[in-house]
Amino acid sequence: MRFHIPGIPHTITNKSYISCAYTQKVYKLCSMLTRLGHEVYHYGCEGSDPTCTENINIVSENLRQQCYSTNFHTEQFRYDTSDYYHQTFYNNCITAIRKRQQPKDFLLCAWGWGHEPIARAFDASLMVVESGVGYESIFSKFRVFESYTWMAHVYGLNNIKNGNWYDAVIPNFFDPADFTFSDQKEDWFLYLGRITNRKGVEVAVQTTKEINARLLVAGQGTLVNEKEQVFIKDSHVEYVGFADVVTRRTLLSKAKAVFMPTYYIEPFGGVSIEAAMSGTAVISSDWGVFGENILHNVTGYRCRTFDQFCWAAENIETIKPEACRNWALENFSMDRVSLMYQEYFEMLYALWGKGWYERSPDRSNLDWLRKSYPRG
């Protein structure tokens, strides 16, 4: 199969942009599909380095810096898809895809509506797939959602009352080599993510203060930010700055537990799986994807009151690091999830044949939706 994958215009498709979940989806998707033996064409900003068949630079880093020189270590990402920079990206991407397009190719729009202007330029000969829906505004006929929770949420918002055979739920996926497993934890808790009130950072601060524990805060932003409604000045909190690839690996492996008390309906919450990959429990709110990704009393605790958050933090040693690691490896590793994407794209490819009625005489299982749970 052949895939065309645009990058996120205002970022660069490499590991440095670790704080942009969509950029990392593109980066990992290119690698995964290439490892499966497919042809993969990536279109992005100069400096991108995904594993793929061909990496096409469609905008220069100089132009990106002129328009988007934001220090993403301390500032939240900003963008305007109608501005000159994004329109240049879109037009150059369309031109580059047309030069390489062949019949029965896929266009994977990891940024959804942010890639829609590219998709609109092509007819039905190019199959358009929203390859990882973690947003609300869908546009394509074929969609992969990050969780069942999010699929139901988006269906409701868009008044979709009947299921679609060619929508699927495939979780975000991770390379175990990016994380270090450890069952030896240090005496501090971790908040890792965008430093914004909506992510519940204040809950982590208040909980650790109540139980007299240290809290390390790492991520995109600052501890005092009126726009993000963050005002953290507590002495037990240490801000360790933006967590690059190396810092993230260290923090996740050593933390006693990771706090994720997100207020909004979380589509996936990748940090919860990154923590599990490292053998570290997660203490989260009890809604959104957490009901799917955090096994209560096995890989962490889901809470609804301050008392529950405090109890979970005080009793986090009951969670076994090995159970966390096994849960992540067996359900969210690149090798595991690649089987799900392969099955899904084979379903879509059959639409160029008999479609829904296409038979697979060599099929030996239906394992693509199987979940594996820690034992003991």
Side-chain angles (χ1 to χ4, degrees):
M1 299 181 197
R2 291 167 43 91
F3 298 90
H4 303 275
I5 307 180
I8 310 306
H10 53 279
T11 72
I12 304 174
T13 308
N14 59 35
K15 282 191 174 183
S16 296
Y17 280 81
I18 196 171
S19 56
C20 178
Y22 295 104
T23 299
Q24 295 311 304
K25 287 181 197 177
V26 170
Y27 185 83
K28 293 184 292 184
L29 192 60
C30 286
S31 175
M32 183 185 69
L33 291 173
T34 302
R35 284 167 55 174
L36 285 170
H38 302 298
E39 289 187 42
V40 177
Y41 300 87
H42 170 264
Y43 307 84
C45 180
E46 178 186 9
S48 298
D49 62 357
T51 300
C52 57
T53 305
E54 184 182 6
N55 177 39
I56 303 99
N57 295 326
I58 56 174
V59 290
S60 68
E61 171 61 358
N62 182 56
L63 176 60
R64 194 188 71 86
Q65 285 292 334
Q66 290 177 30
C67 302
Y68 289 97
S69 59
T70 301
N71 182 355
F72 68 91
H73 288 189
T74 58
E75 300 176 34
Q76 308 295 338
F77 286 114
R78 59 178 176 83
Y79 52 84
D80 179 359
T81 57
S82 66
D83 65 17
Y84 170 77
Y85 175 78
H86 281 79
Q87 293 305 307
T88 300
F89 186 101
Y90 294 149
N91 291 334
N92 291 352
C93 188
I94 291 166
T95 300
I97 292 175
R98 282 178 173 155
K99 288 180 179 179
R100 294 163 177 82
Q101 181 184 0
Q102 294 182 12
K104 301 181 181 180
D105 282 3
F106 291 92
L107 172 63
L108 305 188
C109 297
W111 199 32
W113 55 268
H115 284 150
E116 185 175 0
I118 300 170
R120 296 300 182 198
F122 296 93
D123 59 23
S125 64
L126 193 63
M127 190 172 290
V128 177
V129 180
E130 291 181 75
S131 55
V133 178
Y135 43 82
E136 296 177 342
S137 182
I138 53 177
F139 77 92
S140 70
K141 184 177 180 180
F142 307 112
R143 300 166 294 230
V144 174
F145 294 87
E146 293 184 330
S147 64
Y148 286 96
T149 297
W150 196 250
M151 180 171 69
H153 175 68
V154 173
Y155 273 20
L157 286 176
N158 290 273
N159 198 31
I160 299 172
K161 297 181 179 179
N162 293 321
N164 179 351
W165 294 117
Y166 294 96
D167 280 351
V169 172
I170 302 178
N172 203 347
F173 52 95
F174 304 84
D175 187 346
D178 290 339
F179 305 94
T180 298
F181 170 77
S182 175
D183 57 4
Q184 301 299 312
K185 305 301 180 182
E186 297 186 0
D187 194 21
W188 44 265
F189 293 87
L190 176 65
Y191 172 92
L192 175 63
R194 287 185 293 114
I195 305 174
T196 175
N197 181 266
R198 292 191 73 212
K199 283 282 192 177
V201 62
E202 290 283 0
V203 174
V205 171
Q206 294 167 6
T207 300
T208 48
K209 184 176 182 178
E210 175 73 14
I211 67 172
N212 195 29
R214 286 179 65 206
L215 176 68
L216 272 58
V217 174
Q220 188 182 36
T222 58
L223 294 189
V224 178
N225 187 328
E226 184 173 355
K227 182 179 179 180
E228 298 298 329
Q229 300 180 11
V230 175
F231 306 95
I232 301 172
K233 299 180 180 179
D234 301 75
S235 59
H236 75 289
V237 179
E238 179 183 351
Y239 176 55
V240 296
F242 177 80
D244 59 19
V245 174
V246 175
T247 303
R248 177 190 67 174
R249 178 195 291 269
T250 301
L251 291 173
L252 287 173
S253 67
K254 294 183 177 181
K256 200 170 185 178
V258 174
F259 275 96
M260 295 188 71
T262 311
Y263 284 109
Y264 62 84
I265 305 300
E266 187 76 71
F268 187 78
V271 172
S272 68
I273 305 304
E274 294 175 344
M277 283 269 178
S278 310
T280 301
V282 175
I283 302 172
S284 76
S285 41
D286 184 32
W287 48 72
V289 73
F290 296 133
E292 297 176 47
N293 288 358
I294 299 175
L295 303 178
H296 189 73
N297 207 35
V298 177
T299 66
Y301 291 106
R302 304 193 305 270
C303 307
R304 287 185 173 267
T305 67
F306 184 61
D307 174 67
Q308 291 176 3
F309 275 105
C310 291
W311 189 94
E314 290 175 325
N315 293 274
I316 203 64
E317 290 86 356
T318 61
I319 303 298
K320 297 178 181 178
E322 294 82 4
C324 298
R325 174 73 168 179
N326 291 341
W327 168 247
L329 285 179
E330 294 177 9
N331 298 286
F332 304 97
S333 67
M334 188 176 293
D335 287 344
R336 171 66 187 101
V337 177
S338 68
L339 302 178
M340 303 181 76
Y341 272 105
Q342 181 67 29
E343 175 82 20
Y344 178 68
F345 288 126
E346 287 176 358
M347 287 165 51
L348 294 185
Y349 202 80
L351 291 172
W352 280 301
K354 294 181 179 179
W356 195 80
Y357 291 97
E358 187 85 29
R359 294 299 306 274
S360 299
D362 296 329
R363 177 182 297 283
S364 60
N365 62 65
L366 274 178
D367 285 352
W368 76 298
L369 295 180
R370 173 184 52 82
K371 279 276 195 255
S372 298
Y373 294 90
R375 293 183 293 273

